[in-house]
Amino acid sequence: MWARLRGGYPLRILLPLRGEWMGRRGLPRNLAPGPPRRRYGKETLQALEMPVLPVTATEIRQYLRGHGIPFQDGHSCLRTPSPFAESSQLKDQTGVTTSFSLFIDKTTGRFLCMTSLAEGSWEDFQASVEGRGDGAKEGLLLSKAPEFEDSEEVRRIWNRAVPLWELPDQEEVQLADTMFGLTKVTDDTLKRFSVRYLRPARSLVFPWFSPGGSGLRGLKLLEAKCQGDGVSYEETTIPRPSAYHNLFGLPLITRRDAEVVLTSRELDSLALNQSTGLPTLTLPRGTTCLPPSLLPYLEQFRRIVFWLGDDLRSWEAAKLFARKLNPKRCFLVRPGDQQPRPLEALNRGFNLSRILRTALPAWHKSIVSFRQLREEVLGELSNVEQVAGLRWSRFPDLNRILKGHRKGELTVFTGPTGSGKTTFISEYALDLCSQGVNTLWGSFEISNVRLARVMLTQFAEGRLEDQLDKYDHWADRFEDLPLYFMTFHGQQSIRTVIDTMQHAVYIYDICHVVIDNLQFMMGHEQLSTDRIAAQDYIVGVFRKFATDNNCHVTLVIHPRKEDDDKELQTASIFGSAKVSGL
């Protein structure tokens, strides 16, 4: 029984000038990195590994004052002098002292030193200040360089790539310009952003330089292929997407820049910078995720404009990211036929500066008029299919009943014991995750290992126990899905679960949370001896979370026992008005 309450893999499902964007991990045979690697494990939710209490901005300020550490209050971070930087590192290229070079995230407490590139948790920072731990300062230098094997691979590909304008065959240059839509992008722009072309792979190569341009840390390859009358594009990142944190264009940013435009594609940044002269940065995972580790690099800007794409998904992502960066300084370019992607706008002869001036503020008061909403209403009327939500590829009947999977809603799923609720929900969530929906699984009844085994089998669409030689192939592909698991098992407090979900939304931009199942939280709530009242409270908390965070929550609930020959009714879910009175 289904009920609905109202409330891409990174770098996927993006729309180019022509064709379709897809994600890819493979390289041409002559550039293949060799055997599958597993150096970059799936990121884990740090709050789940141990019972770490969340820290608030007020507690961080109190701690800094208590230890006599001066700080400056920023948009999303606090800035303090860095205990990890040497005195020789505290001056920038112009000789200006940059003593406040350590940034502390107000939401998570994680810190980043912009001079030494030391980073760590709030507990790590406290241990360093208080002199606890063994060599804390040295142990936290996590981001100075990529691993050696990747560094060698990156350097080899980068050295084989050449500037596009230096190709000896002008017909090849013209073909590349046409395939990538670069006919109006100048060689000076490509040179300024250090863009190269890899002839064997027919790919543009975008570099990831360390802050300050001290070294090459990674690459993104963009390959164009002819498909019928259009062009399809495939992306490869080194290192893999979960470790690729490149704000493309960052080396061109100066300390005096107060405004920046954020895009989801490197080609859009080229077009914007050339047309407007404004600083532009490209988010490493497009519209999928804005990693909090990048927030310190955006602290200096007083005005941030999001121009992520020309569809409703880009618009929703822009509003979500603006919440992390302080909405009061953020502005959004609304998608529309006269406001397409920056590269397409340049090729169509539009005035990009004029489009930027129409950007709407992301922040507004609690009460708004229809005048402030009319453009968004028009956008929904113009994109009816997108508003209906993301459609399932494996379940056409769900598309017919529910129309699509939408953010900000809560779905309740129930069925008799042993009817296959978990098996179905795992494939239901996997379908969406494979289309780029960042998913968090909370399995309180079965272990994560067992759940992952079921989902991997569903993903491979075959019995891997009979073909173990293919395990690494499917495991590598499965690992790249934007899928995360809570490590809870058995009874848990609803407050602990909600705190973990909040953490995941902030860190990983989670769009879909699966809770299996509600009964494992009811025993922890001492609110009432009435199970219906306790269930109503818990469902209300999840519904509020879905609305407040614009995140879809799928909630599995066990019904009461019924006779085998009797169908489940709405009253079978404890008769709750909030759950079944729909």
Side-chain angles (χ1 to χ4, degrees):
M1 182 179 65
W2 288 87
R4 182 73 65 136
L5 298 179
R6 292 201 173 272
Y9 193 92
L11 309 173
R12 284 183 183 266
I13 315 177
L14 303 176
L15 302 178
L17 178 59
R18 293 185 299 156
E20 177 185 1
W21 285 73
M22 298 176 287
R24 182 172 87 99
R25 291 188 57 196
L27 288 171
R29 289 182 182 272
N30 57 338
L31 294 174
R37 300 174 181 172
R38 256 168 294 289
R39 295 189 307 279
Y40 300 96
K42 172 67 70 176
E43 294 175 277
T44 56
L45 301 181
Q46 62 171 28
L48 306 184
E49 298 301 323
M50 60 183 66
V52 177
L53 295 177
V55 64
T56 66
T58 300
E59 291 171 339
I60 296 174
R61 294 188 187 97
Q62 290 175 346
Y63 181 87
L64 296 176
R65 292 191 186 102
H67 287 78
I69 301 174
F71 64 89
Q72 298 172 352
D73 216 324
H75 299 284
S76 55
C77 300
L78 298 173
R79 295 183 61 180
T80 73
S82 174
F84 309 105
E86 303 294 338
S87 58
S88 59
Q89 295 178 303
L90 296 179
K91 291 187 178 181
D92 61 16
Q93 297 175 350
T94 63
V96 177
T97 300
T98 56
S99 57
F100 285 77
S101 60
L102 187 133
F103 292 76
I104 303 175
D105 190 302
K106 293 181 182 179
T107 303
T108 65
R110 290 194 64 85
F111 69 86
L112 169 66
C113 174
M114 300 290 270
T115 53
S116 67
L117 299 185
E119 60 180 317
S121 67
W122 175 240
E123 289 72 23
D124 295 329
F125 178 80
Q126 290 176 304
S128 177
V129 170
E130 298 167 14
R132 294 184 283 111
D134 182 16
K137 293 173 65 171
E138 290 75 21
L140 294 168
L141 299 178
L142 306 177
S143 303
K144 278 196 171 181
E147 296 184 20
F148 176 76
E149 290 184 65
D150 269 333
S151 179
E152 183 179 356
E153 181 182 338
V154 165
R155 182 58 59 184
R156 179 164 54 90
I157 295 175
W158 182 246
N159 289 338
R160 294 191 62 180
V162 297
L164 191 61
W165 59 91
E166 291 184 4
L167 291 177
D169 188 349
Q170 286 304 307
E171 290 187 2
E172 185 177 6
V173 175
Q174 293 175 3
L175 177 61
D177 285 343
T178 302
M179 294 283 284
F180 292 103
L182 297 175
T183 53
K184 293 190 176 181
V185 176
T186 66
D187 291 344
D188 287 341
T189 300
L190 296 174
K191 185 182 301 185
R192 185 163 58 253
F193 282 86
S194 302
V195 179
R196 294 186 180 182
Y197 183 71
L198 187 63
R199 298 182 70 185
R202 295 183 180 180
S203 302
L204 290 178
V205 181
F206 304 103
W208 173 17
F209 292 113
S210 298
S214 58
L216 187 64
R217 299 188 59 188
L219 298 172
K220 177 186 285 187
L221 279 70
L222 178 66
E223 181 182 7
K225 293 182 178 180
C226 291
Q227 286 191 348
D229 295 333
V231 180
S232 67
Y233 299 88
E234 298 181 350
E235 293 180 343
T236 302
T237 63
I238 307 172
R240 65 194 309 164
S242 61
Y244 184 79
H245 291 164
N246 178 26
L247 278 174
F248 178 71
L250 187 62
L252 301 179
I253 301 296
T254 68
R255 292 174 55 85
R256 296 186 298 273
D257 292 326
E259 179 178 359
V260 69
V261 184
L262 300 183
T263 71
S264 61
R265 287 177 44 194
E266 289 78 6
L267 296 180
D268 288 334
S269 286
L270 300 179
L272 265 168
N273 182 265
Q274 175 181 302
S275 181
T276 66
L278 289 173
T280 58
L281 295 173
T282 301
L283 301 180
R285 304 188 194 180
T287 58
T288 302
C289 179
L290 173 58
S293 59
L294 300 180
L295 300 189
Y297 299 104
L298 302 173
E299 274 294 295
Q300 73 179 72
F301 301 108
R302 293 194 296 270
R303 176 184 170 92
I304 297 177
V305 181
F306 286 91
W307 192 349
L308 299 185
D310 52 8
D311 59 358
L312 190 62
R313 189 170 186 176
S314 301
W315 176 252
E316 293 293 336
K319 292 192 289 186
L320 177 64
F321 297 163
R323 295 172 62 175
K324 289 186 179 182
L325 295 171
N326 186 349
K328 293 185 178 181
R329 61 170 175 157
C330 294
F331 297 79
L332 319 177
V333 174
R334 185 181 64 84
D337 183 61
Q338 298 302 310
Q339 296 183 167
R341 287 184 170 277
L343 181 62
E344 182 178 351
L346 176 66
N347 289 329
R348 291 169 61 179
F350 292 169
N351 188 322
L352 274 67
S353 296
R354 182 178 301 170
I355 294 177
L356 286 175
R357 288 196 292 270
T358 67
L360 304 174
W363 177 84
H364 52 73
K365 296 180 180 179
S366 299
I367 300 177
V368 297
S369 66
F370 178 72
R371 181 179 181 181
Q372 295 168 283
L373 300 175
R374 62 180 296 162
E375 294 300 324
E376 289 195 52
V377 173
L378 175 61
E380 294 208 356
L381 292 175
S382 304
N383 300 277
V384 176
E385 291 188 4
Q386 294 183 36
V387 172
L390 184 64
R391 298 173 68 84
W392 287 268
S393 60
R394 305 187 184 192
F395 303 104
D397 286 343
L398 281 185
N399 296 326
R400 179 177 55 83
I401 297 171
L402 302 177
K403 307 304 179 186
H405 182 270
R406 296 175 289 276
K407 296 180 181 180
E409 298 184 358
L410 184 145
T411 297
V412 172
F413 184 73
T414 190
T417 301
S419 61
K421 293 187 296 296
T422 300
T423 302
F424 173 77
I425 287 295
S426 66
E427 188 158 5
Y428 150 96
L430 182 62
D431 186 319
L432 299 169
C433 188
S434 298
Q435 299 183 61
V437 176
N438 295 2
T439 303
L440 174 66
W441 248 98
S443 176
F444 299 86
E445 189 167 5
I446 66 174
S447 69
N448 285 334
V449 173
R450 182 180 170 191
L451 175 62
R453 187 191 69 187
V454 170
M455 297 185 75
L456 179 60
T457 301
Q458 293 170 334
F459 183 66
E461 298 181 350
R463 292 175 57 85
L464 290 178
E465 53 263 57
D466 298 333
Q467 40 189 343
L468 293 179
D469 57 315
K470 297 183 179 180
Y471 175 79
D472 281 345
H473 167 74
W474 287 108
D476 283 342
R477 291 185 57 186
F478 188 76
E479 187 177 337
D480 281 332
L481 294 176
L483 177 64
Y484 306 89
F485 301 90
M486 301 187 204
T487 57
F488 298 134
H489 193 68
Q491 295 284 345
Q492 293 295 332
S493 162
I494 180 64
R495 186 68 262 165
T496 302
V497 174
I498 291 296
D499 285 344
T500 302
M501 290 163 57
Q502 291 277 12
H503 175 82
V505 168
Y506 180 79
I507 298 294
Y508 304 110
D509 294 300
I510 295 297
C511 301
H512 183 206
V513 179
V514 181
I515 299 295
D516 183 16
N517 59 68
L518 175 141
Q519 273 70 19
F520 281 90
M521 275 154 280
M522 293 185 61
H524 250 269
E525 302 306 318
Q526 306 298 326
L527 302 171
S528 172
T529 56
D530 186 343
R531 291 179 63 83
I532 294 179
Q535 179 173 277
D536 277 354
Y537 168 77
I538 295 173
V539 171
V541 171
F542 281 123
R543 181 168 55 184
K544 185 176 186 301
F545 173 88
T547 303
D548 292 347
N549 293 278
N550 196 29
C551 176
H552 194 109
V553 176
T554 297
L555 185 60
V556 179
I557 297 180
H558 283 181
R560 70 185 182 189
K561 300 297 182 181
E562 301 281 9
D563 295 334
D564 292 339
D565 59 347
K566 185 177 180 181
E567 292 187 356
L568 291 179
Q569 306 294 324
T570 54
S572 299
I573 319 173
F574 289 123
S576 168
K578 280 191 177 180
V579 175
S580 58
L582 306 173

